[in-house]
Amino acid sequence: MKYIDIVIDNKSDKTDRLYTYGCDIADVHVGSRVRVPFAKGNKLRYGYVVTFTDRPEEKVVQRLKMVESLDEEVSLSEEMMKTAAWLKERYLCRFIDAIKLFVPAGSKAKRREKKNPLKDIDKESSEAVSLTGEQEKALVRINESIRRGKYDRFLIHGVTGSGKTEVYLNAAQTALRMGRTVIVLVPEISLTGQLVERFAGRFGMEEMAVLHSRLSPGERYDQWQAIRSGKVKVVVGARSAVFAPLTDIGLIIIDEEHESTYKSDFTPKYDTVEVALKRVQDSENKGVLILGSATPSVVTYSRAQEGIYKLLKLTQRYNKVSLPHVDIVDMREELKAGNRSVISGHLYDKMKENLSEGRQVILFLNRRGYSTFLSCRECGYVVKCPVCGLSLTYHKDEGRCTCHYCGYSQKIPSVCPECGSGYIRYFGYGTEKLQETVEELMPEYAVDRLDLDTIKAKGEMNRKLKAFGRGKTDILIGTQIIAKGLDFRNVGLAGIISADVSLNIPDFRSPERTFQLITQAAGRAGRGDKTGEVVIQTYSPDNYAVRFAAAQDYEAFYQEEMMIRRALAYPPFSDLYRIVFTSGNRQAAQEGAEKWYGMLTSLLPGEERDNVFRPQEAYMSKIKDVYRFSMLIKCPKGKRPVYSAIMRKIREEDKRTAKKEFNAVVDINPYSFS
């Protein structure tokens, strides 16, 4: 007879604690999933074993419930359970929500046959190539730590096209030769295919698995089981692959580490880099973490300057070709000259020049749809979502306008619902409209578009990318998906249509994001044997983020940005806590926010109460008929444990509330303030 403490698979704050059960099943261990009778009706529920415990008091033993059965298909390791416990404390979430990050989402899926998501992968010939001096120097330092079985962390700051992937492949080879396992993370699912092909070409597909959200539940479950069984040694995937059920992790690689997609936008709102650090640091792994980027996040780079990460620099492109030549076009001058097209005269000329030479063109616009909103020219009415209150985006292909937040969609009104006028017109530019414009300007060339609207069908993204890679598409138009890590040798020109889109986001990181997007999009050009060209179109040519991105000068941007953040006490000089209060009742959401504000200010010392900003309606004040209020807290550097402890205390008090009409979600260092 054993006594075990279990966390119940039940999404309620009221049951977010450990329950003691008796168990006479021999194979139960920490991380086992078991079925237990729970609550008054003794309905069977899943639970996860957290600890073995001493015999409880006699009065508890007399009414003790027993574990009913052991789920032999799904079990977690002790390291995964420890990481889940850390996630609970770090991100102020429920224990079960942290545990389920490690559990295969498709475990209950009914499947007729196993599907292999790797069956259509084309193995790219990826024999080891000779390394540059910079690559070799970086690899020597990384391999030393891997061979010593030593926990270590590196930042590879390498210009676009400098050969970071080759360093990853060589480091992975070292870990695999030592019998250890490897996780490789990319920021977008679109990049998974290219990286899988590179790794499959080097190591074969027999010991590889992929994990990302575009897999079906059955595929995810099969991949999870293959990994957990020990058959798989290399896992490639997007953010969630950091929770792959590997043991003896020798290396985790996070490519394009600066991307916001590595921050979860669902509860628990974890930071992938922090989770990776926790896993390689664990005594069961003692592995190495490699972060790679041409434009590291300001926070990461500052940590490298402090020595927290070992900084490795790759300053030259692998093929020795110079970085692209960059031109900035002031779109204000285009307007003065009478050009109202979204394509400047200079960009048009450069497109013609490159296409006539047989080189391909990428056009980047970080806004999908045909136009950004529909409005009545008679009375000014804007067509909005009835559920969220946000302006709808016009999608011409579908003949509808859609809310990009909740998915609400409606037909285009023929007359204004407000005044009855027929002067309903669309305003602004999206990728769909850009495609139409380019096809009209250059009908002799094949144009394709890559954004969330064109890749809804499974496999469509890979199909489009392969067509472009084989030269069947001359001009590829896309959102930020195409700015991240894609490696096509024949791209001669990258055009950034509106560099100002990300500058106008109400977020302290908007200059950083603008710099990163421009630099990354520019990096898609000239990756072959000939120097590429970049045209940046902007209404803010003097903005420091635009200027330094055009000059490919990360150091200058970093110094400028750090000066501003130091003055305003933004990360890395603080941690930001954002708490979002939601309810179907607007007053309840507001009262919940005010309640937390009162408790926070009462628990903080007087001089720190100014770090808590009064609650206000969120920027997106209503989504899917749910009202939203938010509150921001600036936590001084080094005081995160104190502030988190206060938050936990408030949350515990909230749990004891008999009837609570609002929900509070804490997001630490959020990447979105909407």
Side-chain angles (χ1 to χ4, degrees):
M1 176 70 148
K2 292 173 282 197
Y3 300 97
I4 55 178
D5 289 333
I6 292 174
V7 61
I8 301 295
D9 190 352
N10 189 42
K11 286 208 165 198
S12 167
D13 284 346
K14 303 284 186 190
T15 57
D16 185 26
R17 63 184 184 85
L18 299 182
Y19 293 84
T20 301
Y21 282 82
C23 180
D24 54 13
I25 302 172
D27 295 335
V28 167
H29 58 81
V30 170
S32 288
R33 184 161 78 170
V34 294
R35 298 194 80 183
V36 295
F38 184 71
K40 289 181 181 177
N42 281 331
K43 183 179 178 182
L44 290 180
R45 282 189 171 276
Y46 281 118
Y48 294 84
V49 178
V50 177
T51 56
F52 286 81
T53 188
D54 295 332
R55 179 184 173 91
E57 295 177 12
E58 195 58 39
K59 61 180 181 181
V60 176
V61 172
Q62 288 174 3
R63 47 189 170 85
L64 195 71
K65 295 178 182 178
M66 297 292 292
V67 170
E68 185 77 17
S69 62
L70 170 66
D71 182 348
E72 295 183 356
E73 284 203 353
V74 176
S75 70
L76 306 181
S77 69
E78 193 165 341
E79 178 263 322
M80 294 177 214
M81 293 299 291
K82 282 193 289 184
T83 304
W86 171 85
L87 282 157
K88 175 184 184 294
E89 295 299 308
R90 184 73 165 174
Y91 300 110
L92 305 170
C93 63
R94 288 188 288 258
F95 202 172
I96 191 61
D97 291 336
I99 289 170
K100 292 190 82 170
L101 291 169
F102 289 94
V103 178
S107 57
K108 296 175 184 176
K110 297 281 187 286
R111 302 177 314 286
R112 292 180 181 175
E113 60 179 333
K114 286 190 176 183
K115 294 182 179 179
N116 182 5
L118 295 171
K119 64 181 174 62
D120 296 325
I121 290 291
D122 297 329
K123 284 201 296 185
E124 183 179 320
S125 177
S126 191
E127 292 299 317
V129 297
S130 58
L131 301 178
T132 65
E134 288 183 327
Q135 288 174 315
E136 187 66 52
K137 190 176 176 181
L139 193 60
V140 165
R141 294 185 65 188
I142 293 167
N143 281 347
E144 182 186 2
S145 293
I146 294 173
R147 291 191 181 106
R148 288 171 59 191
K150 174 190 170 188
Y151 161 60
D152 219 338
R153 46 204 173 182
F154 296 90
L155 168 63
I156 300 179
H157 180 203
V159 298
T160 53
S162 58
K164 292 185 288 293
T165 304
E166 190 60 37
V167 177
Y168 302 157
L169 285 161
N170 279 271
Q173 193 163 36
T174 301
L176 292 170
R177 280 174 177 164
M178 295 183 65
R180 310 200 69 192
T181 59
V182 178
I183 297 174
V184 187
L185 303 178
V186 292
E188 290 281 352
I189 296 164
S190 62
L191 304 179
T192 310
Q194 279 199 337
L195 213 60
V196 167
E197 288 173 1
R198 294 285 299 275
F199 272 78
R202 185 70 56 90
F203 306 122
M205 286 193 286
E206 296 75 19
E207 295 186 342
M208 286 187 61
V210 293
L211 286 176
H212 55 72
S213 60
R214 282 191 177 267
L215 299 180
S216 70
E219 286 173 330
R220 280 201 297 272
Y221 182 68
D222 291 340
Q223 291 287 286
W224 191 92
Q225 287 290 4
I227 299 164
R228 188 73 180 102
S229 70
K231 295 175 184 175
V232 166
K233 301 299 181 186
V234 180
V235 176
V236 180
R239 180 177 71 212
S240 61
V242 76
F243 300 104
L246 290 168
T247 56
D248 194 17
I249 300 170
L251 177 65
I252 297 181
I253 297 163
I254 302 184
D255 192 29
E256 310 292 357
E257 69 79 27
H258 63 277
E259 287 291 347
S260 61
T261 47
Y262 284 125
K263 181 71 164 66
S264 172
D265 43 9
F266 300 103
T267 302
K269 294 181 178 287
Y270 63 87
D271 182 320
T272 305
V273 174
E274 290 186 348
V275 178
L277 275 169
K278 179 64 179 174
R279 295 203 73 183
V280 294
Q281 191 176 15
D282 190 89
S283 58
E284 291 185 28
N285 293 319
K286 287 189 179 176
V288 169
L289 174 67
I290 300 175
L291 307 179
S293 177
T295 55
S297 75
V298 169
V299 170
T300 296
Y301 200 73
S302 71
R303 288 173 180 163
Q305 296 297 311
E306 293 171 15
I308 295 171
Y309 296 113
K310 292 176 180 174
L311 181 60
L312 308 172
K313 290 199 172 190
L314 304 179
T315 60
Q316 294 183 327
R317 284 191 155 184
Y318 179 80
N319 55 11
K320 297 293 195 294
V321 172
S322 302
L323 287 168
H325 174 76
V326 181
D327 290 326
I328 298 178
V329 175
D330 187 343
M331 294 303 284
R332 297 170 301 184
E333 297 301 319
E334 290 288 311
L335 280 174
K336 288 178 186 175
N339 179 15
R340 297 190 174 276
S341 170
V342 72
I343 303 288
S344 66
H346 184 65
L347 178 57
Y348 176 83
D349 292 341
K350 286 295 179 184
M351 288 174 69
K352 280 286 191 182
E353 182 183 314
N354 276 270
L355 291 164
S356 65
E357 293 174 358
R359 303 182 82 192
Q360 293 166 293
V361 173
I362 282 179
L363 297 180
F364 169 75
L365 174 60
N366 205 24
R367 186 184 280 145
R368 62 191 172 101
Y370 189 82
S371 63
T372 47
F373 65 98
L374 287 156
S375 178
C376 173
R377 289 190 176 181
E378 194 76 34
C379 71
Y381 171 82
V382 174
V383 182
K384 293 186 176 181
C385 173
V387 182
C388 302
L390 305 169
S391 58
L392 299 179
T393 300
Y394 175 36
H395 291 258
K396 189 177 181 182
D397 281 354
E398 302 167 4
R400 303 181 71 82
C401 42
T402 302
C403 175
H404 285 173
Y405 287 87
C406 74
Y408 170 83
S409 178
Q410 68 174 54
K411 287 184 178 179
I412 307 299
S414 55
V415 297
C416 173
E418 194 75 21
C419 70
S421 162
Y423 290 101
I424 289 280
R425 297 291 183 269
Y426 46 77
F427 295 87
Y429 248 90
T431 48
E432 186 181 346
K433 190 175 179 182
L434 176 60
Q435 181 180 5
E436 182 179 279
T437 300
V438 172
E439 287 173 338
E440 288 173 357
L441 287 171
M442 301 179 179
E444 67 272 35
Y445 295 105
V447 183
D448 203 355
R449 174 162 54 98
L450 191 62
D451 56 31
L452 290 178
D453 298 318
T454 63
I455 56 172
K456 291 175 182 175
K458 192 171 182 180
E460 188 64 13
M461 181 183 294
N462 279 338
R463 188 195 66 76
K464 286 176 178 285
L465 289 174
K466 286 185 183 300
F468 188 69
R470 291 166 182 161
K472 293 181 179 179
T473 306
D474 300 304
I475 304 167
L476 183 63
I477 294 166
T479 53
Q480 61 182 353
I481 294 172
I482 65 171
K484 302 175 182 179
L486 295 179
D487 188 2
F488 296 109
R489 302 290 170 179
N490 194 39
V491 176
L493 174 69
I496 299 163
I497 298 302
S498 180
D500 309 288
V501 171
S502 52
L503 270 179
N504 299 321
I505 298 170
D507 185 339
F508 77 92
R509 290 190 189 88
S510 59
E512 179 181 13
R513 288 182 179 174
T514 301
F515 176 86
Q516 289 165 343
L517 281 171
I518 293 174
T519 305
Q520 293 287 341
R524 300 317 107 205
R527 299 175 78 94
D529 300 325
K530 188 177 176 183
T531 302
E533 296 179 287
V534 180
V535 175
I536 302 171
Q537 298 185 165
T538 177
Y539 289 92
S540 311
D542 297 323
N543 182 278
Y544 70 96
V546 176
R547 284 190 293 106
F548 290 137
Q552 303 275 304
D553 192 341
Y554 178 85
E555 292 288 346
F557 171 78
Y558 172 76
Q559 295 299 334
E560 182 91 8
E561 186 68 11
M562 284 289 279
M563 184 175 66
I564 294 168
R565 294 198 187 183
R566 186 181 289 108
L568 298 173
Y570 280 130
F573 302 100
S574 68
D575 283 304
L576 295 184
Y577 287 69
R578 184 179 189 237
I579 311 171
V580 177
F581 304 87
T582 57
S583 176
N585 179 294
R586 185 182 182 280
Q587 185 178 347
Q590 185 173 13
E591 287 176 354
E594 292 292 346
K595 175 186 172 185
W596 273 62
Y597 176 77
M599 288 192 284
L600 269 165
T601 50
S602 69
L603 292 168
L604 282 169
E607 69 275 9
E608 292 189 33
R609 289 173 187 169
D610 289 342
N611 293 334
V612 184
F613 297 86
R614 286 205 77 93
Q616 56 185 345
E617 275 194 305
Y619 179 69
M620 313 292 293
S621 60
K622 183 185 175 191
I623 297 178
K624 295 184 181 179
D625 281 330
V626 174
Y627 294 92
R628 306 168 77 243
F629 278 74
S630 70
M631 181 167 59
L632 190 67
I633 300 103
K634 272 187 184 178
C635 168
K637 190 173 182 178
K639 291 202 171 184
R640 184 163 169 175
V642 176
Y643 278 59
S644 289
I646 291 172
M647 300 281 186
R648 275 192 291 274
K649 184 175 181 179
I650 295 172
R651 185 176 284 288
E652 288 303 316
E653 285 191 32
D654 246 9
K655 286 182 187 178
R656 292 192 287 271
T657 305
K659 186 180 179 184
K660 194 176 71 170
E661 295 183 5
F662 70 91
N663 188 38
V665 175
V666 179
D667 193 354
I668 302 172
N669 293 323
Y671 269 74
S672 171
F673 291 85
S674 59

